[in-house]
Amino acid sequence: MSPSSVACPRCGFPELAPPIVIVEPACTSPEYLHSNYLPPDSVIVGTRREMALAETGIVHVEEKMADLERVIDRLRLRRQGLHDFIAKHRRVLGRVLAPIRRLPNELLSEIFSHCVERDPYEWDPTTNVEWILVLVSRAWRAVSISMPQMWNRISISNTSAPKNMDLKAALSLQLERSTHLPLAIDFDFKSASAEQRISVLETLFSARDRWQVANIHLTQAEVLHFRSGFAFPKLTKLGFSLRPVTDEHTVSSIFRATPALQELCYNGRLVLGPHPTASLLQIGSFPLSQLRRLDLLDFGYHPSELSSVLGLACNILDLRLRGCFSLGDQVDPKALPNLVSLDVAECDGSILGFILAPVLRRLAISFPNARLSYDLESFMTRTGASLTDLTLHHAPAREALLGLLALAPHLTSLSMGHMDTVISWRFVKSLTCGLDKQNLVPQLVSLELTGLFESGFDDSLLVMLKSRCISGPLRSARIGGFRHLADIQGQLLRLGLNSVVDLSDKL
C-alpha cells in the first residue's frame, strides 16, 4: 500500500486520500498547432512549461493506477477465497444432502451385500468390492467391517492372487473380519512356489473349523503336511483333486476329517493299489450313505469300483459322471431310489444300463458314440415316465431320437444342443405331430434346439412352434443355427412366446 493511501474503514481496502490534484496543462497558442509558422520565443517558453506540467500529471496518474491495480489484485484474491469457501461447503452440503448419505446402515448393508454377490468370486484384495468399500469413507468402512458375510468367500487361483502382496497378512485380516461365519474356500494355486502355497494353506487351515464349502487342489506332500491337523466339522460340500497320484491312506484321511459332508466332487484319477475298493471304501472311513450329491470326474475307476461306490452312496439325489468307465455286462445294476438328477458325459453307454433311478426328474447326457442311443433307450424305458427335464448334447437328429422323446411324455423342458447331423424339415415336422401322429412331449414349456438346419424350411419350424404355442403350453424357445429366425420372431411373440432367442452367434 502506497503512503498516499489509507485503509477503508468499511471494507479494509486502500482508498486514496487525499485525492491527487492534477493541474491541467493549457495550450498557450493553439493557432500554431495547425500551421507551419514559427512561434515566438514567449510562446515556446510557455509551451515547455505546460509540457512539464503534463509530464508531472502522467506520473501522478500512473501512481494512482498502480494503487488501483493493487486494490484489484487484492479483490481478486478475496473473490477467489470466497469462491473456494463456497465450493468446499457446497461439497459438504452435497455429501450431507446426497441420498446415499441419508440411507440407514441397514439399507446400506443390503446394497453392499448385492455388490459383493455380483463381484467375481476370484480373491484379489486390490480389486474385490469389499476391499474397495472400506476405502471410501469412515462410515462405509465401519459398515463394511461390521458385515462378516462380505468376507467369508475366499478363492485363490493362479490368475486372481496378486503377486506383490503379503497374501498371508491379507488372508488373516479377511478371516478376522469374517468373524464366526462359515467359510467358502477355493484353492487352486498351482503356479505358486511350494513355500508360498504352504504359507497360504496354513492361514486357511487355521480357520478349518468354519469351512462349509471347499474346492481344493493339493499335492500329496501338502496333504501329508496337514494330515495331523485335518478336522472340518462343518464342511458339507467338498470338491478336491490330488496331484500327483496318491494312495488310499491320503484319501481316507480326508474322508475321516469331514463327518458332516453332504456333497462330494472328485476330479482326477486315483491309483489305489490292487484292491482299491477294500482299501478305500470298506474300511468305513466315511459313510457314503449320507451323501446327497456325488460328482466323479475323470475318476478312472474299474467297473467294480464304481459299482461299490454307488452301492454305498445309495441315498444320493444328484449324480454326475464323466470319464470312460466301460462297465460292460459283468456289473449288476444299482438302485438309486432317491436320485432326481443325473449328468453323464464322455462315458460308455453301458453306464445307463447299470443305474436304476425310478424317480429321476432331470437327465443330461452327451453322445460320444452311436451305441449310446441303444443304452439310452433302454434307460428311458425304465425311467422316462418320471422325467421332466431332458438335455441331449451331440445327438443325431434322426427318427431314433424322436422315439426316445416318445418315452418321456411328461417333459416340460427339452434342450437338444449341437446336433450331430443336419436338422431336416422332416425332423422338425415330427416334433410337431410326433411318430404315427402321436403328439410328442405335449407338456413342453421350454425348448432349446441348436445345430445346423437344412436350408429352405422356414415354414416347418414356424408351424412346429405355432402348434405348440396354440395347442400346448410352450412359452420359451431358444433356437441356434437357423438363419431366418429374426423373420418369424414377431409372429411367435404375438402367439404368446415369452422368450424367442436366437443362439446362432453363440454356436
Side-chain angles (χ1 to χ4, degrees):
M1 188 181 299
S2 67
S4 62
S5 61
V6 296
C8 175
R10 290 176 297 178
C11 63
F13 287 96
E15 182 179 15
L16 295 180
I20 296 176
V21 178
I22 301 175
V23 180
E24 293 294 334
C27 184
T28 55
S29 302
E31 65 273 12
Y32 290 103
L33 294 176
H34 304 288
S35 69
N36 293 324
Y37 294 107
L38 183 65
D41 293 340
S42 60
V43 174
I44 292 174
V45 171
T47 300
R48 286 176 176 171
R49 183 177 62 249
E50 297 302 323
M51 289 175 61
L53 288 175
E55 290 174 353
T56 303
I58 290 174
V59 172
H60 291 313
V61 170
E62 288 178 346
E63 290 178 355
K64 178 80 170 181
M65 291 174 61
D67 287 339
L68 292 175
E69 287 175 354
R70 284 191 289 270
V71 172
I72 290 174
D73 289 340
R74 293 191 61 186
L75 289 172
R76 286 198 181 102
L77 291 175
R78 175 62 65 88
R79 181 182 63 182
Q80 186 60 46
L82 296 174
H83 278 309
D84 293 343
F85 177 87
I86 292 172
K88 291 177 181 177
H89 288 77
R90 181 173 289 146
R91 286 196 296 270
V92 171
L93 292 179
R95 289 195 296 267
V96 172
L97 299 177
I100 197 169
R101 292 285 179 175
R102 299 197 297 272
L103 292 179
N105 287 346
E106 294 78 9
L107 188 53
L108 198 60
S109 300
E110 190 69 21
I111 294 173
F112 287 178
S113 298
H114 285 291
C115 291
V116 172
E117 289 173 3
R118 295 178 182 178
D119 194 41
Y121 191 73
E122 288 76 11
W123 182 77
D124 186 350
T126 61
T127 59
N128 288 150
V129 168
E130 60 268 28
W131 290 87
I132 295 175
L133 290 175
V134 298
L135 303 176
V136 174
S137 67
R138 292 181 181 179
W140 284 28
R141 178 182 179 86
V143 172
S144 299
I145 294 179
S146 68
M147 297 174 57
Q149 66 271 25
M150 289 178 55
W151 304 92
N152 65 337
R153 299 185 310 164
I154 302 175
S155 176
I156 302 179
S157 65
N158 298 329
T159 56
S160 67
K163 303 299 185 292
N164 301 321
M165 176 179 283
D166 187 348
L167 295 181
K168 187 171 184 179
L171 278 174
S172 299
L173 181 59
Q174 178 148 352
L175 290 173
E176 178 183 346
R177 290 174 176 174
S178 65
T179 63
H180 61 282
L181 287 189
L183 298 175
I185 304 295
D186 196 322
F187 181 83
D188 190 10
F189 206 13
K190 302 185 186 72
S191 63
S193 63
E195 181 180 355
Q196 189 178 30
R197 286 172 60 92
I198 292 295
S199 175
V200 171
L201 281 171
E202 284 177 344
T203 306
L204 294 175
F205 274 46
S206 67
R208 58 185 174 271
D209 59 319
R210 293 195 286 126
W211 284 28
Q212 186 177 60
V213 177
N215 185 24
I216 55 177
H217 303 272
L218 305 176
T219 65
Q220 185 174 356
E222 290 164 352
V223 174
L224 296 175
H225 181 83
F226 294 107
R227 179 179 292 179
S228 60
F230 274 165
F232 304 94
K234 295 182 180 179
L235 191 62
T236 60
K237 182 177 180 179
L238 172 64
F240 73 103
S241 67
L242 301 174
R243 300 181 302 271
V245 172
T246 184
D247 54 44
E248 69 274 11
H249 301 295
T250 301
V251 178
S252 63
S253 66
I254 294 176
F255 284 169
R256 279 193 297 270
T258 56
L261 200 63
Q262 296 288 314
E263 299 183 24
L264 175 65
C265 172
Y266 184 81
N267 190 345
R269 300 180 66 85
L270 286 179
V271 177
L272 302 179
H275 303 290
T277 301
S279 60
L280 175 60
L281 303 174
Q282 296 177 359
I283 59 176
S285 60
F286 176 74
L288 291 176
S289 59
Q290 77 181 35
L291 284 182
R292 295 298 175 262
R293 173 170 177 170
L294 178 62
D295 294 357
L296 300 178
L297 311 179
D298 305 321
F299 205 59
Y301 259 146
H302 186 271
S304 62
E305 297 306 296
L306 182 62
S307 175
S308 298
V309 170
L310 296 184
L312 294 174
C314 55
N315 294 319
I316 55 176
L317 306 176
D318 191 341
L319 175 62
R320 183 184 176 196
L321 302 174
R322 186 181 71 198
C324 299
F325 293 95
S326 300
L327 295 180
D329 301 324
Q330 75 277 25
V331 180
D332 295 331
K334 292 297 177 183
L336 300 175
N338 301 320
L339 189 68
V340 295
S341 177
L342 175 61
D343 192 324
V344 179
E346 302 174 15
C347 295
D348 186 272
S350 58
I351 186 67
L352 295 174
F354 162 75
I355 295 176
L356 300 177
V359 297
L360 192 69
R361 296 288 182 269
R362 175 187 173 275
L363 174 63
I365 190 167
S366 61
F367 281 68
N369 54 57
R371 187 175 185 273
L372 186 56
S373 298
Y374 170 78
D375 296 307
L376 181 58
E377 181 179 358
S378 174
F379 178 79
M380 292 187 65
T381 300
R382 303 189 308 270
T383 309
S386 63
L387 282 179
T388 59
D389 188 329
L390 178 62
T391 300
L392 303 172
H393 291 289
H394 305 291
R398 295 181 181 139
E399 185 174 329
L401 183 58
L402 299 173
L404 293 177
L405 298 181
L407 299 174
H410 302 297
L411 281 182
T412 59
S413 177
L414 173 62
S415 174
M416 296 183 288
H418 301 275
M419 308 296 281
D420 262 6
T421 58
V422 174
I423 303 174
S424 66
W425 67 271
R426 292 183 181 86
F427 182 83
V428 174
K429 183 178 180 180
S430 297
L431 287 176
T432 307
C433 58
L435 301 172
D436 300 326
K437 297 186 178 180
Q438 173 190 2
N439 190 15
L440 288 179
V441 287
Q443 301 178 25
L444 197 63
V445 175
S446 174
L447 171 66
E448 179 174 329
L449 182 61
T450 62
L452 181 62
F453 284 78
E454 187 179 64
S455 59
F457 75 111
D458 303 13
D459 291 341
S460 299
L461 182 63
L462 182 59
V463 168
M464 185 269 288
L465 295 176
K466 276 185 175 181
S467 66
R468 290 190 172 275
C469 287
I470 296 173
S471 61
L474 186 67
R475 290 297 175 265
S476 173
R478 297 163 61 85
I479 311 297
F482 187 73
R483 295 182 179 181
H484 306 294
L485 180 63
D487 299 338
I488 62 175
Q489 277 183 332
Q491 302 180 55
L492 297 175
L493 288 173
R494 285 192 291 274
L495 291 173
L497 274 182
N498 296 328
S499 175
V500 185
V501 183
D502 187 357
L503 301 176
S504 301
D505 295 336
K506 300 180 181 180
L507 291 179

